[in-house]
């Protein structure tokens, strides 16, 4: 059984174009989730899926230089199709879905989600923005068989543009495990993701502080930093 981490990314983000190749602690942003997922036991392959087209060339060039990472391409507006293509190209039986704009994704939380999926045996699992951990921790566990089913049956553009919405709208067919932080579910006040220039300024401060101490710092280190130096997490002017 082959488990593949598939990281979605694109060069043509509307709010912060080119964000995946911006420098962050001496590396392009996209290299950080790759580096972090390497630390997760049970991941057999790593894939970055990007849209087709010449506009993605700068990002493709960066990904192709990352050691041992498969670059997959597919239609920009049909993310579901891109994940199916990535799963087929890598021979995945199980896909761990990650986001390139979550450069501080915690290997321990990915492991926690994978272990919960293996223990509970749902159809799929999702650590989402209501999990109780900071926004930017998200990950999903999706069997390839579910992705193939969706690819065969989904016709609504809204579901093709996403990956999991069709599963969410059919809970009688697909049982979801919503992964929660023990004793602390709900939305966390901290946001550790890259969507805007303000986010980038904040992430640069966080990584400048924590990355030299331990490159794979987790969400516990981020929460501790926020407690002792909340100004790092304030919106940049």
């Amino acid at each position: 059984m082959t488990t593949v981490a598939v990281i979605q990314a694109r060069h043509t983000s509307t709010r912060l174009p080119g964000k995946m190749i911006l420098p962050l602690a001496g590396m392009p942003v996209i290299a950080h989730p790759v580096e972090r997922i390497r630390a997760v036991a049970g991941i057999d392959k790593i894939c970055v899926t990007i849209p087709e087209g010449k506009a993605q060339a700068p990002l493709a060039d960066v990904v192709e230089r990352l050691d041992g990472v498969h670059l997959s391409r597919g239609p920009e507006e049909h993310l579901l199709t891109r994940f199916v293509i990535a799963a087929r190209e890598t021979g995945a039986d199980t896909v761990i879905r990650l986001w390139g704009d979550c450069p501080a994704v915690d290997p321990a939380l990915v492991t926690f989600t994978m272990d919960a999926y293996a223990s509970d045996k749902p159809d799929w699992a999702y650590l989402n923005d209501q999990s109780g951990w900071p926004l930017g921790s998200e990950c999903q566990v999706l069997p390839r068989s579910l992705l193939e089913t969706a690819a065969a049956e989904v016709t609504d553009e809204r579901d093709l543009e996403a990956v999991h919405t069709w599963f969410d709208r059919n809970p009688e067919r697909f049982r979801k495990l919503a992964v929660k932080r023990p004793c602390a579910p709900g939305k966390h006040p901290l946001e550790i993701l890259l969507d805007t220039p303000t986010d980038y300024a904040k992430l640069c401060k966080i990584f400048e502080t924590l990355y030299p101490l331990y490159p794979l710092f987790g969400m516990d280190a981020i929460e501790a930093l926020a407690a002792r130096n909340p100004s790092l997490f304030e919106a940049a002017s």
Side-chain angles (χ1 to χ4, degrees), residues 17-36:
K19 65 182 180 180
M20 291 292 97
I21 63 173
L22 290 173
L24 184 63
M27 300 194 304
V29 165
I30 189 61
H32 285 282
V34 169
E35 179 182 55
R36 287 165 169 269

Side-chain angles (χ1 to χ4, degrees), residues 32-88:
H32 285 282
V34 169
E35 179 182 55
R36 287 165 169 269
I37 205 66
R38 292 192 202 278
V40 177
I43 299 292
D44 299 301
K45 299 178 183 178
I46 300 173
C47 172
V48 175
T49 178
I50 70 172
E52 299 162 332
K54 293 180 179 179
Q56 307 299 325
L59 175 56
D61 289 345
V62 169
V63 174
E64 287 175 334
R65 292 197 296 268
L66 298 175
D67 185 50
V69 176
H70 177 79
L71 175 63
S72 180
R73 304 173 192 257
E76 181 164 12
E77 300 304 325
H78 290 178
L79 191 56
L80 173 60
T81 303
R82 280 166 54 194
F83 268 79
V84 172
I85 291 170
R88 291 172 180 171

